[in-house]
Amino acid sequence: MRIATITNWAYGATVCLTLASGIIMILASNADTAERQAVKQRQQFDQITEDIEADAWMLSDLARLFVIKKDPSILEEYRQKEGSMKSIEVRLEKLKDTGASNEELLLLGEGLKIVDELQDEQQAALARMARGDEQQAVALLYGSAYELELERAQREIDHFRQLLDKRVITDVQVATKTSKTLRTASEIMVGLTALLFLFVLGFILKRRVLRPVVRLSDVVHRLASQDYAVETPNFNQIDEIGDMAQAIHIFRENGLARQRLERERDADWAIRELLARMTQRLQGCESFDDVLNVATLFAPNIAPGLSGRLYILDRTPSRMRCVAEWLDPQGASTPFDPEDCWAIRRGQSHPPVNGEPDVVCYHLPESVAHQALCIPLIAQGEAIGLLSIQNILPENAPSRAYLELMAEALGLALANQRLRHELQEKALYDPLTGLRNRHHLDDMLRSQISLAQRTSTPISCLMIDIDHFKKINDKYGHEAGDAVIKRVASIIQRTIGDEGKAFRYGGEEFLVLLAGMDDEAAYECASQIYNEVKMSTVRSGISEIATVDVSIGIATYPQHVQSDSLIRASDVALYRAKELGRARIVSFGMLGEG
């Protein structure tokens, strides 16, 4: 029941009890008034009966005194008193008006009749006195019959008084009892009113209002400070407190929803900032390794809890090769055919949004196939890689848009690195031979010399020139000349392997840096190159080119020259080999001996 209803009922009950108490108090006051009226009536009756009794005895005494003393003044006084006495009817009417009952009036009337009879006897005695019969008059007023009549009149009056006293006492007792009962009832009503008031204060105000309001006030204070973790009290009663509790509960739920949305918004902004930062870092990458490092660093933070792999498409042979992974994805990272991935086939992320049921990619393990997402890395309309994400569940799946943006950024970065690599290949490597060109030589020479100085190891330089190359071009054509250059370059590269760095220094000239080799080891390597070139056969179309020879000059640091003169010294040795007739090997150390 609502507090307002309870309060209204309590207010109504209080008003009713107050009115009832007032009415009872009025009734009790009336009972007191009746009691006072009964006492007053008794006093009035006593006064009237006393007057009647006094008048009767006074007339009797005056008459007796006159017959004894024969004093005319006494007779005169008797006449005056007799004239002033009222008749029986007047006296009884006065008693009736005062409230005497018929029984009481009848009893008193009998006494008054006796008094009247006594007055008649008094008149007879006075008449005899007037006739001179004094003795008879005295005998009449002092006789036993007269005394008996006086006593009988006195008994009737006394009986009337007794009856009147009994009735008055009864009326007073009844009025007193009624007044006491009504006052007790009034006190009970007042007590009930007080109890009801205490009930309203204790039960409604304290228990139903004060305690819940104090609890709700604490909750509201904490909610105002955005502490939405506070538990709202569970007041299920259907009243104002229940309405307030329900409203506070709804406010808390709205606050929790708002906090959840704010957290999601903050997480969303954090992911956007990570994507922006990753994109900026990718723009600064200078190699594929830089791109892979950025991917493995940012991917677990952009997609928390989601493991994944990054694949690159190799063109020859055509296969998807895993180059990076994070958070321990399931399954082996072995290469697979691009056709095994539906995302590569479709050129779109797979499976699509709300795409269940759908076919799964064949390269995925069966245990995660239905919890995976494949996003192709597209650049210039061509798939160059794949981003494979695992463990995607409804409760931890980030927005697909962010994953696709990450894939787009990685695709562009990888495409840029591929283009960068191709440009570097064209800028640093000779397209005909595949060897490094002179643009790469200065940096390589500085790094090799620096390493040799730090490790106190030697470094040798071979300067190689194809003998009579112009005659080959003139006789067999430029295609044949190119074939000769490619053949010599392949022999040089195969001979030095990973122990040296080969460069195409000029048209038909080559330069080789041999780190860690002294003059003797370098001479042995040069001899191997010289012999293999001399024994090789070069064809141009159906024509077989005659034997190809090379001249080689050798210089070694620090055995022969300082670091900044290494190439020049090897070139001097080569020039000396040509002076000596070509097709030979000359070391810079041999020049001093000659």
Side-chain angles (χ1 to χ4, degrees):
M1 184 179 293
R2 292 187 172 275
I3 296 175
T5 304
I6 297 175
T7 305
N8 291 335
W9 277 101
Y11 176 75
T14 303
V15 171
C16 292
L17 289 174
T18 303
L19 291 176
S21 176
I23 292 172
I24 293 173
M25 289 293 291
I26 293 173
L27 293 176
S29 177
N30 292 335
D32 291 340
T33 302
E35 180 181 357
R36 288 192 297 271
Q37 288 178 349
V39 173
K40 183 178 180 180
Q41 186 184 56
R42 174 71 177 82
Q43 292 175 350
Q44 291 176 350
F45 286 171
D46 286 343
Q47 184 65 40
I48 294 173
T49 52
E50 285 178 359
D51 291 344
I52 294 173
E53 184 179 7
D55 290 343
W57 282 102
M58 183 176 290
L59 286 176
S60 178
D61 290 341
L62 289 173
R64 283 182 170 182
L65 186 60
F66 175 72
V67 297
I68 296 297
K69 292 183 176 183
K70 302 177 184 65
D71 185 356
S73 62
I74 296 175
L75 179 61
E76 182 64 25
E77 184 179 358
Y78 174 83
R79 297 297 181 188
Q80 292 177 357
K81 188 66 178 176
E82 183 184 22
S84 63
M85 288 184 62
K86 299 177 181 179
S87 63
I88 296 176
E89 291 76 8
V90 174
R91 292 176 178 176
L92 292 179
E93 189 65 28
K94 186 176 181 180
L95 287 172
K96 184 176 182 181
D97 293 340
T98 307
S101 64
N102 293 330
E103 182 182 2
E104 293 170 346
L105 292 174
L106 181 62
L107 183 61
L108 185 57
E110 292 295 329
L112 292 176
K113 287 181 181 180
I114 296 173
V115 172
D116 286 343
E117 291 176 356
L118 288 175
Q119 287 181 345
D120 292 340
E121 291 182 5
Q122 292 169 7
Q123 291 296 332
L126 292 176
R128 289 182 182 183
M129 282 292 294
R131 289 194 301 267
D133 190 0
E134 298 176 3
Q135 189 175 1
Q136 286 295 326
V138 171
L140 181 62
L141 292 179
Y142 285 95
S144 59
Y146 187 81
E147 289 292 337
L148 290 175
E149 288 297 324
L150 280 176
E151 292 177 1
R152 193 161 69 89
Q154 185 66 46
R155 285 197 303 271
E156 293 296 332
I157 292 174
D158 291 340
H159 189 194
F160 168 77
R161 284 178 175 172
Q162 292 175 359
L163 184 63
L164 182 62
D165 289 341
K166 183 178 180 180
R167 180 177 69 82
V168 170
I169 290 172
T170 302
D171 291 343
V172 169
Q173 289 177 347
V174 170
T176 301
K177 183 177 180 180
T178 302
S179 176
K180 185 177 180 180
T181 302
L182 292 176
R183 289 183 183 278
T184 302
S186 177
E187 291 172 356
I188 292 173
M189 294 296 178
V190 172
L192 290 176
T193 304
L195 289 176
L196 184 60
F197 181 73
L198 293 176
F199 167 78
V200 171
L201 287 178
F203 179 78
I204 298 179
L205 294 182
K206 185 176 180 180
R207 182 176 177 182
R208 292 291 298 273
V209 177
L210 185 60
R211 290 180 182 175
V213 166
V214 170
R215 293 184 61 187
L216 292 177
S217 176
D218 178 65
V219 172
V220 169
H221 179 72
R222 295 180 62 180
L223 291 177
S225 61
Q226 296 187 350
D227 180 13
Y228 298 108
V230 61
E231 291 293 334
T232 57
N234 186 21
F235 296 137
N236 295 322
Q237 63 265 30
I238 303 175
D239 58 11
E240 292 80 358
I241 298 298
D243 295 342
M244 291 173 60
Q246 183 66 19
I248 292 173
H249 178 73
I250 294 173
F251 180 79
R252 174 179 177 270
E253 293 297 323
N254 291 337
L256 290 174
R258 184 169 63 254
Q259 280 189 340
R260 184 172 61 254
L261 291 176
E262 289 176 353
R263 287 194 298 268
E264 292 175 357
R265 181 197 62 192
D266 294 341
D268 184 73
W269 277 108
I271 293 176
R272 292 187 183 187
E273 290 179 356
L274 284 174
L275 281 171
R277 193 184 309 162
M278 186 188 75
T279 302
Q280 293 173 354
R281 302 302 179 267
L282 289 174
Q283 291 174 354
C285 291
E286 296 184 353
S287 65
F288 281 101
D289 290 337
D290 288 345
V291 175
L292 300 183
N293 289 335
V294 171
T296 53
L297 176 63
F298 281 91
N301 295 284
I302 293 175
L306 302 182
S307 57
R309 288 191 176 97
L310 177 63
Y311 294 87
I312 290 180
L313 176 62
D314 291 335
R315 294 175 178 173
T316 52
S318 179
R319 63 177 185 172
M320 301 300 298
R321 176 170 55 89
C322 180
V323 293
E325 64 179 35
W326 53 90
L327 300 183
D328 299 325
Q330 297 185 28
S333 59
T334 55
F336 61 89
D337 191 287
E339 291 299 316
D340 289 342
C341 181
W342 281 92
I344 299 297
R345 288 189 187 186
R346 299 173 60 241
Q348 298 176 349
S349 58
H350 185 84
V353 179
N354 300 324
E356 295 183 358
D358 206 335
V359 293
V360 297
C361 294
Y362 306 129
H363 64 92
L364 294 171
E366 186 176 352
S367 59
V368 296
H370 294 283
Q371 298 176 355
L373 175 66
C374 292
I375 306 174
L377 308 184
I378 306 296
Q380 289 83 40
E382 178 186 1
I384 64 171
L386 176 69
L387 185 64
S388 179
I389 306 296
Q390 297 182 7
N391 304 327
I392 294 183
L393 301 173
E395 58 271 15
N396 65 2
S399 173
R400 290 173 65 108
Y402 294 138
L403 293 175
E404 291 174 352
L405 285 174
M406 182 172 68
E408 182 179 351
L410 289 173
L412 291 175
L414 291 174
N416 289 336
Q417 292 305 317
R418 176 174 290 182
L419 179 60
R420 180 190 183 95
H421 180 72
E422 292 175 354
L423 293 176
Q424 285 180 344
E425 289 287 331
K426 292 180 181 179
L428 301 178
Y429 291 86
D430 177 53
L432 179 62
T433 63
L435 300 179
R436 295 174 177 84
N437 57 31
R438 293 184 64 172
H439 295 289
H440 205 186
L441 177 60
D442 293 338
D443 292 338
M444 184 63 69
L445 180 61
R446 281 195 296 271
S447 64
Q448 293 286 339
I449 292 295
S450 177
L451 178 61
Q453 290 175 344
R454 291 196 306 271
T455 58
S456 299
T457 57
I459 178 173
S460 296
C461 177
L462 306 181
M463 187 70 76
I464 304 171
D465 182 74
I466 300 174
D467 294 335
H468 306 294
F469 183 73
K470 186 176 185 302
K471 292 181 180 180
I472 296 174
N473 273 338
D474 293 342
K475 183 177 180 179
Y476 298 103
H478 289 286
E479 290 184 2
D482 291 343
V484 171
I485 292 174
K486 290 174 65 175
R487 180 62 177 169
V488 173
S490 65
I491 291 173
I492 294 172
Q493 186 65 55
R494 184 174 65 251
T495 301
I496 65 174
D498 296 332
E499 297 179 355
K501 304 294 182 183
F503 300 85
R504 187 180 179 186
Y505 194 70
E508 68 276 12
E509 286 186 328
F510 302 93
L511 185 145
V512 177
L513 294 176
L514 298 173
M517 290 188 183
D518 57 10
D519 181 65
E520 184 178 352
Y523 194 91
E524 184 178 349
C525 180
S527 299
Q528 187 177 353
I529 294 172
Y530 176 84
N531 293 330
E532 286 198 22
V533 171
K534 190 173 185 65
M535 291 184 298
S536 66
T537 301
V538 181
R539 291 182 177 276
S540 176
I542 61 174
S543 301
E544 181 175 328
I545 302 175
T547 302
V548 178
D549 291 319
V550 294
S551 298
I552 304 175
I554 304 174
T556 302
Y557 164 83
Q559 186 176 353
H560 299 150
V561 295
Q562 296 301 315
S563 61
D564 55 350
S565 303
L566 182 61
I567 294 178
R568 185 166 62 254
S570 64
D571 191 43
V572 170
L574 174 63
Y575 183 75
R576 181 59 178 167
K578 289 182 179 182
E579 283 184 342
L580 295 175
R582 294 183 173 87
R584 67 189 66 234
I585 302 172
V586 176
S587 171
F588 188 81
M590 297 167 59
L591 297 181
E593 296 176 359

